[in-house]
Amino acid sequence: MTADEFREYGRAVVDWLADYWDRVESLPVLAQVEPGQVREQLPARAPEHGEDFYAVLEDMDTIVVPGLTHWQHPSFFAYYPSNTSGPAVLAELLTAGLNVQGMMWQTGPACTELEQHVLDWLAGLLGLSDRFLSTGSGGGVIQDTASSAILVALLAALHRASNGRATRDGVASGRFTVYTSAEGHSACEKAARVAGLGAAALRTVDTRADFSMDPDALRNAMKRDIAAGYTPAMVLATIGTTSTGAIDPVPQIGSVCTEFGAWLHVDAAHAGVAAICPELRWIHHGVNDYADSYATNPHKWLLTTFDCDACYVADRDALIGALSVLPEYLRNQASESHSVVDYRDWGVPLGRRFRALKLWSVIRWYGGEGLRAHIRHHVALGQQFAEWVAGDSRFELMAPHPLSLVCFRLRGPDEVNRQLLEAVNATGRIYLSHTKLRGTYTLRMAIGAISTRDRHVADAWDLLCREAARLLPG
């Protein structure tokens, strides 16, 4: 592709995306295809001769878009937000075009230093302390997802808990345990498996009435394990659990971790970015005092294209000690001077994309003021929706709702709630997901799409009420 062809097709792609954003509200939110339907429309074999790029755009319209669930739809209320924005997409284009391999400072000095700097910016916006800044003994790194952040935190925790033996000799050299609440993310179990501990090393801690981790139950679990000869390695506390948005009591959990010498990783994947707003910074209470590592996802609620997890450590030595492998072909003068950061030692992959460009672009375009307005708008919509639920005797709220996630259901059997969810999703007008809270089928309203406005939430409530009336006549 020549430079002139790239210009022509590049303009066409930008136009296509802009048109898509303009029309996405008119599309069914949930994909309206059957399994295998997309593949049936694709040629059985790869083309022998090259095709014009306009043919790709045509197939986007006829094959791909009809087979998508539209996460950028203003009435996408399922799971959690997954925002993108103009500045983030343009920065992704720059990232792809430069195609920097940022494994070490030497292979991309600007890639490394911009990542350090923009994560320090974000730490300041979130109210994180100097412990997590790159100018001290800690620092931030962009992982792909919160799952990877949990894994590298666990590896660092094992390195510290074993005085390096787990890194050198493997986890079989000791018996280690990992703790999270019953509402904690499944990525914690996967991390335990990948790290070689196995799912049997994971301890599921009971929750309190508000679905947050019970610190007393955590302490008792650790006492039992120590008596049985285990070493508590890491506790995963959550700020904004997936099911309910519960916020674990980090100060009390941190105190237990200090008592038993366990690493505290705080997973704030969805909700953490809300701390950009000073009035919501209470969600981080205890993080600055107790957390050994912390992660939040700008790619969920902060307008930054997937994938971008901001992962911070208070002391980088354990992380680097767990993950640093230095073959001869990677040795260089800059690294050996110890005056630079080599991010190859901060994650599992050696290769690294220039992800910082999109977060840098988003923060520069919106500024702190714009980002706070974005979060506050969705929180206000969530509170309004919760008021509507609470004011209708047919419905009930199932969990606290401090931010923009509301868990609710129709009073009555689970089957009616399943039917309600299926009915509203089948319309194509909105998309909600569900969870089970202590065995009870519950609907989730997760507000956070960039284009969601008051009318979209009002329309969703109107649709829910109409379907409820149909299911519960009289």
Side-chain angles (χ1 to χ4, degrees):
M1 185 177 284
T2 67
D4 285 341
E5 287 172 329
F6 180 75
R7 288 187 183 95
E8 177 187 349
Y9 297 130
R11 293 186 186 103
V13 167
V14 170
D15 284 343
W16 187 93
L17 280 172
D19 289 342
Y20 170 76
W21 289 340
D22 282 344
R23 70 187 177 98
V24 67
E25 185 175 352
S26 68
L27 302 173
V29 189
L30 189 62
Q32 307 289 300
V33 294
E34 299 297 327
Q37 188 173 330
V38 174
R39 293 196 66 180
E40 289 172 358
Q41 301 175 74
L42 301 173
R45 293 178 176 80
E48 184 66 25
H49 304 289
E51 300 176 71
D52 186 279
F53 199 81
Y54 287 120
V56 175
L57 293 181
E58 289 175 6
D59 285 347
M60 289 292 297
D61 286 324
T62 59
I63 299 174
V64 176
V65 169
L68 291 178
T69 292
H70 300 283
W71 286 69
Q72 304 311 306
H73 197 290
S75 296
F76 184 99
F77 301 119
Y79 307 112
Y80 44 75
S82 184
N83 287 163
T84 191
S85 62
V89 171
L90 294 175
E92 275 281 30
L93 179 59
L94 293 172
T95 298
L98 294 170
N99 206 32
V100 170
Q101 217 291 30
M103 59 185 177
M104 298 183 295
W105 181 89
Q106 179 169 279
T107 62
C111 180
T112 296
E113 295 189 19
L114 184 63
E115 185 163 334
Q116 290 179 280
H117 204 75
V118 76
L119 286 173
D120 283 355
W121 274 6
L122 182 61
L125 289 169
L126 294 172
L128 299 181
S129 73
D130 291 350
R131 297 171 64 232
F132 298 106
L133 299 182
S134 63
T135 50
S137 60
V141 57
I142 297 179
Q143 307 286 357
D144 50 6
T145 64
S147 299
S148 292
I150 293 169
L151 174 60
V152 300
L154 177 55
L155 295 173
L158 290 169
H159 181 82
R160 189 179 76 176
S162 67
N163 293 316
R165 292 193 309 276
T167 304
R168 184 180 65 251
D169 304 325
V171 294
S173 61
R175 298 205 301 170
F176 302 100
T177 47
V178 183
Y179 306 80
T180 191
S181 84
E183 296 294 319
H185 201 279
S186 60
C188 193
E189 179 179 337
K190 183 174 285 188
R193 294 185 187 184
V194 174
L197 296 175
L202 183 67
R203 303 292 186 263
T204 301
V205 181
D206 290 340
T207 56
R208 304 184 297 186
D210 64 356
F211 299 99
S212 67
M213 185 189 294
D214 184 342
D216 292 333
L218 173 65
R219 178 179 281 105
N220 291 336
M222 285 190 173
K223 285 181 177 178
R224 288 193 299 270
D225 283 330
I226 290 172
Y230 291 96
T231 299
M234 188 182 86
V235 175
L236 174 71
T238 308
I239 294 176
T241 59
T242 301
S243 281
T244 69
I247 297 169
D248 287 341
V250 174
Q252 294 92 328
I253 293 170
S255 179
V256 175
C257 289
T258 300
E259 180 181 345
F260 294 100
W263 183 288
L264 175 58
H265 177 70
V266 177
D267 176 16
H270 169 209
V273 297
I276 282 179
C277 302
E279 70 274 17
L280 298 175
R281 202 159 287 166
W282 60 269
I283 67 174
H284 279 163
H285 186 44
V287 169
N288 288 332
D289 296 323
Y290 292 104
D292 294 289
S293 53
Y294 166 91
T296 190
N297 288 351
H299 69 233
K300 280 192 169 73
W301 200 9
L302 205 65
L303 302 162
T304 305
T305 303
F306 184 85
D307 53 357
C308 183
D309 168 89
C311 177
Y312 294 90
V313 290
D315 183 352
R316 70 186 72 163
D317 287 348
L319 182 63
I320 293 172
L323 294 170
S324 180
V325 178
L326 184 59
E328 182 61 34
Y329 53 78
L330 293 181
R331 293 184 181 275
N332 63 86
Q333 186 175 355
S335 297
E336 292 176 4
S337 73
H338 301 293
S339 61
V340 300
V341 163
D342 287 332
Y343 276 130
R344 64 178 175 82
D345 297 330
W346 292 56
V348 174
L350 175 62
R352 304 188 76 255
R353 299 177 63 241
F354 198 171
R355 293 188 184 96
L357 273 179
K358 55 191 173 187
L359 183 57
W360 187 50
S361 298
V362 165
I363 293 175
R364 291 185 66 181
W365 176 265
Y366 290 97
E369 180 182 40
L371 296 173
R372 286 188 288 272
H374 170 71
I375 297 294
R376 285 168 175 155
H377 173 61
H378 291 143
V379 171
L381 291 179
Q383 300 312 303
Q384 176 63 78
F385 183 82
E387 287 180 16
W388 290 333
V389 173
D392 190 318
S393 60
R394 296 171 298 177
F395 291 88
E396 60 182 330
L397 293 168
M398 295 297 291
H401 46 86
L403 300 174
S404 62
L405 171 62
V406 181
C407 292
F408 69 104
R409 70 192 302 274
L410 277 173
R411 298 182 188 274
D414 283 355
E415 183 56 33
V416 172
N417 283 278
R418 288 193 189 93
Q419 292 175 16
L420 175 61
L421 183 66
E422 291 173 1
V424 297
N425 286 345
T427 67
R429 292 173 51 193
I430 67 173
Y431 182 31
L432 275 65
S433 57
H434 80 282
T435 189
K436 280 195 172 183
L437 300 181
R438 300 194 173 103
T440 301
Y441 193 94
T442 301
L443 279 63
R444 298 171 67 262
M445 180 76 171
I447 299 169
I450 184 174
S451 55
T452 299
R453 300 293 180 264
D454 300 46
R455 63 182 176 86
H456 300 111
V457 177
D459 287 347
W461 175 242
D462 182 64
L463 179 59
L464 283 160
C465 288
R466 288 208 307 271
E467 291 297 331
R470 184 181 63 80
L471 291 168
L472 300 173

